[in-house]
């Protein structure tokens, strides 16, 4: 886990040197269906961050999509946390109200999946039918729950969106997520940054 977090940190630094930091308030070119954002926040030893032994803070992921009932505007789909359901929220509202707002975020990376319009339509439909309004897994059931679509955590939602629709790629390049020497089938936010399928697609962002 910590190796993945450190690699994500290194890839972020490399991407900053190559691309600079994109201000999403000024440039919305990256706000496209299928793109996703992974956030590194100020470390706070709470909730699943504690359980996953992460001390580096890559701790949340969201995916950009559209609602079937309104395909005009980009929205965020995210699994929010324990006792909450995955939700749609407008990009502007998410920036204002989410707990990972700019004052709490130290780094953020958007991954430009650049999927076709046909793949975008498929992802929109899949997100609406399978990933929206699903409960977050309990602290005990989160382990080995990557393939479960009855419950979703933030990074499993993003992973599943592109595994079963969208780009049809596996964004988790390893089968094991080691916690205290035990292998668990979990996809972490850091996995969504370091996976080989994201090479050349990572762009540091702010808002």
């Amino acid at each position: 886990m910590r190796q993945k977090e450190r690699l994500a940190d290194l890839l972020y630094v490399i991407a900053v040197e190559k691309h600079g930091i994109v201000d999403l308030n000024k440039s919305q070119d990256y706000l496209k269906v299928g793109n996703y954002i992974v956030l590194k926040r100020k470390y706070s030893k709470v909730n699943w961050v504690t359980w996953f032994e992460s001390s580096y803070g890559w701790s949340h992921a969201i995916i950009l999509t559209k609602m079937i009932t309104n395909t005009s505007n980009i929205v965020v789909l995210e699994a929010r946390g324990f006792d909450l359901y995955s939700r749609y929220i407008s990009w502007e509202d998410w920036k204002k109200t989410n707990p990972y707002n700019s004052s709490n975020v130290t780094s953020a990376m958007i991954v430009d999946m650049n999927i076709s319009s046909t793949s975008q339509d498929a992802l929109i439909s899949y997100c609406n039918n399978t990933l929206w309004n699903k409960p977050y897994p309990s602290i005990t059931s989160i382990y080995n729950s990557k393939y479960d679509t009855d419950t979703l955590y933030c990074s499993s939602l993003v992973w599943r969106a592109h595994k079963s629709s969208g780009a049809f790629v596996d964004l988790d390049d390893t089968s094991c997520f080691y916690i205290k020497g035990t292998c668990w089938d979990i996809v972490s936010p850091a996995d969504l940054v370091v996976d080989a399928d994201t090479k050349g697609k990572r762009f540091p962002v702010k808002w």
Side-chain angles (χ1 to χ4, degrees):
M1 171 61 182
R2 298 190 180 202
Q3 183 180 10
K4 290 281 186 73
E5 296 276 352
R6 292 189 179 101
L7 179 55
D9 285 343
L10 176 61
L11 292 173
Y12 178 82
V13 171
I14 292 172
V16 169
E17 292 178 351
K18 185 175 182 179
H19 305 291
I21 299 179
V22 177
D23 188 343
L24 294 179
N25 290 317
K26 298 178 179 178
S27 174
Q28 298 191 352
D29 293 342
Y30 297 98
L31 298 181
K32 299 180 291 187
V33 171
N35 287 2
Y36 62 89
I37 298 175
V38 185
L39 307 173
K40 178 181 179 180
R41 65 175 180 175
K42 295 176 182 176
Y43 176 59
S44 176
K45 204 167 188 179
V46 295
N47 292 336
W48 71 267
V49 179
T50 303
W51 286 80
F52 286 7
E53 297 187 300
S54 169
S55 60
Y56 298 90
W58 291 97
S59 55
H60 193 49
I62 64 170
I63 192 163
L64 302 177
T65 182
K66 293 181 179 180
M67 298 177 66
I68 287 181
T69 55
N70 180 4
T71 57
S72 299
N73 300 316
I74 287 288
V75 297
V76 167
L77 178 61
E78 65 176 344
R80 296 181 285 165
F82 298 112
D83 301 320
L84 298 172
Y85 284 69
S86 56
R87 67 167 179 179
Y88 288 120
I89 184 172
S90 74
W91 168 249
E92 292 300 325
D93 286 343
W94 181 83
K95 289 193 299 179
K96 297 173 185 175
T97 63
N98 80 91
Y100 299 84
N101 57 39
S102 57
S103 64
N104 209 19
V105 170
T106 60
S107 309
M109 192 97 77
I110 195 166
V111 178
D112 185 3
M113 297 302 290
N114 196 30
I115 59 177
S116 68
S117 59
T118 300
S119 295
Q120 288 183 16
D121 290 342
L123 185 140
I124 290 168
S125 178
Y126 184 79
C127 285
N128 183 81
N129 296 330
T130 308
L131 306 181
W132 169 62
N133 202 34
K134 293 296 178 69
Y136 203 90
S138 68
I139 195 73
T140 54
S141 66
I142 196 170
Y143 302 115
N144 286 336
S145 62
K146 182 172 78 172
Y147 295 97
D148 184 6
T149 56
D150 291 327
T151 62
L152 297 165
Y153 52 95
C154 68
S155 42
S156 74
L157 185 153
V158 175
W159 174 81
R160 174 55 69 182
H162 279 297
K163 175 74 172 174
S164 298
S165 67
F168 287 100
V169 293
D170 187 343
L171 293 168
D172 183 12
D173 63 355
T174 58
S175 58
C176 270
F177 186 106
Y178 285 98
I179 303 172
K180 295 181 179 179
T182 301
C183 172
W184 300 95
D185 205 359
I186 298 170
V187 54
S188 73
D191 283 316
L192 301 177
V193 174
V194 305
D195 185 79
D197 286 306
T198 68
K199 184 177 180 181
K201 301 175 182 178
R202 311 178 192 104
F203 298 88
V205 291
K206 64 180 182 179
W207 53 84

